[in-house]
Amino acid sequence: SEDEDNYSLSFDGVDDYVSIDNTSISLFGSDWNTEKSITAWIKPEGTVNTIQGGWNGHAVYGQVSGSGNYFGISLGIINGEDRIWVYNWDGNDDKIGIEYVNSEWVNVALVHTGGSLYAYKNGELVGQIPSGETNGAMDGYQRIGGGTDNGKYFSGNIDEVTIWDRALTENEIQANMNNALIGSENGLAGSWDFNEGSGDIAFDASPSHNDGMIHGATWQLMGDEDDSFDIAALVESLSFNNQFVNSSW
């Protein structure tokens, strides 16, 4: 609601992360390796390292399995390109780069379905590549902000992370960007809005109730960041493409 404080989690890029101690198969379902979606609002800060692949990046979302980090969202420099990377390991490092600007909020979505990997930026499809079944990580525990196998830690703010056991459509991604979820949406497997504002538990609003444990990351009230979340600017940037905009704004 409008009078409810809106928080995000701030990650230091050194050792902060959120642990969700449920496996890929328990969260994404029996077809986890071929059908899944992940979305998140992020506001990167600082500098990133040169990385070998999406699995090696500054983690927004990934896994710790003891054998690798096989799908998710990260940041880093690959072949000289500083990007947000949506990635899936099917025996090859399948990845799509998304341009970003430091200190600016951006909505990122990964969709893996039908033998293809899709990446969305602020509700717009920015890339699609062939990508087969995810290798490994069936027993991989999920992580937000860092703590992944072979990955690095994210510096900046993360908010409203959702995971789904099905492929979201572009229209659904756009609608979910601009509206609070009620928790009973079809296929919703995890929803962490990071609005608690205190404590070390990130509550999952989905029917799964897979709460996360916060390790080091700190609560930050929207508007208290160095650069506040300017939703009006985001709406203006999307409006020229006739993107969905919540009429209540």
Side-chain angles (χ1 to χ4, degrees):
S1 63
E2 292 182 0
D3 57 354
E4 180 182 0
D5 288 336
N6 187 12
Y7 287 86
S8 66
L9 273 180
S10 176
F11 297 79
D12 65 4
V14 178
D15 57 5
D16 292 352
Y17 67 99
V18 175
S19 60
I20 303 158
D21 288 330
N22 297 85
T23 62
S24 298
I25 192 170
S26 67
L27 287 175
F28 293 95
S30 59
D31 61 349
W32 69 273
N33 57 353
T34 59
E35 189 92 2
K36 51 189 170 287
S37 302
I38 304 168
T39 74
W41 283 100
I42 67 173
K43 184 168 76 75
E45 300 287 359
T47 59
V48 296
N49 293 22
T50 296
I51 60 175
Q52 300 176 53
W55 49 270
N56 185 224
H58 300 264
V60 174
Y61 189 98
Q63 300 82 40
V64 55
S65 67
S67 62
N69 166 27
Y70 292 92
F71 65 92
I73 302 168
S74 69
L75 284 78
I77 301 170
I78 299 177
N79 296 327
E81 293 187 335
D82 183 354
R83 298 287 188 268
I84 300 166
W85 299 99
V86 165
Y87 65 93
N88 179 59
W89 179 268
D90 64 355
N92 294 301
D93 181 33
D94 302 332
K95 58 189 179 296
I96 302 170
I98 299 174
E99 295 183 4
Y100 71 97
V101 178
N102 257 3
S103 303
E104 289 189 8
W105 283 99
V106 60
N107 185 273
V108 178
L110 171 159
V111 176
H112 183 214
T113 185
S116 291
L117 180 68
Y118 303 82
Y120 294 84
K121 175 183 179 181
N122 292 332
E124 291 186 349
L125 180 67
V126 295
Q128 171 187 350
I129 58 173
S131 190
E133 292 187 6
T134 307
N135 285 0
M138 180 177 75
D139 297 322
Y141 297 109
Q142 311 304 293
R143 296 289 183 266
I144 296 171
T148 61
D149 280 348
N150 306 313
K152 308 180 191 311
Y153 291 86
F154 174 82
S155 176
N157 291 70
I158 301 177
D159 199 19
E160 296 180 11
V161 176
T162 72
I163 63 174
W164 306 74
D165 66 8
R166 64 178 181 87
L168 293 178
T169 67
E170 183 169 308
N171 285 342
E172 287 175 321
I173 292 169
Q174 292 169 5
N176 294 342
M177 279 174 52
N178 305 317
N179 292 280
L181 300 179
I182 61 176
S184 59
E185 286 80 3
N186 177 35
L188 183 64
S191 177
W192 300 273
D193 63 12
F194 298 149
N195 269 346
E196 290 77 16
S198 63
D200 56 7
I201 302 295
F203 292 103
D204 174 15
S206 81
S208 305
H209 300 298
N210 292 310
D211 300 336
M213 177 64 67
I214 299 168
H215 304 265
T218 56
W219 300 104
Q220 194 160 48
L221 188 64
M222 289 294 197
D224 286 352
E225 308 106 320
D226 291 337
D227 259 337
S228 62
F229 183 21
D230 189 351
I231 193 69
L234 176 59
V235 171
E236 183 177 354
S237 72
L238 294 178
S239 61
F240 76 94
N241 272 331
N242 295 318
Q243 297 297 318
F244 175 89
V245 177
N246 187 338
S247 60
S248 66
W249 288 354

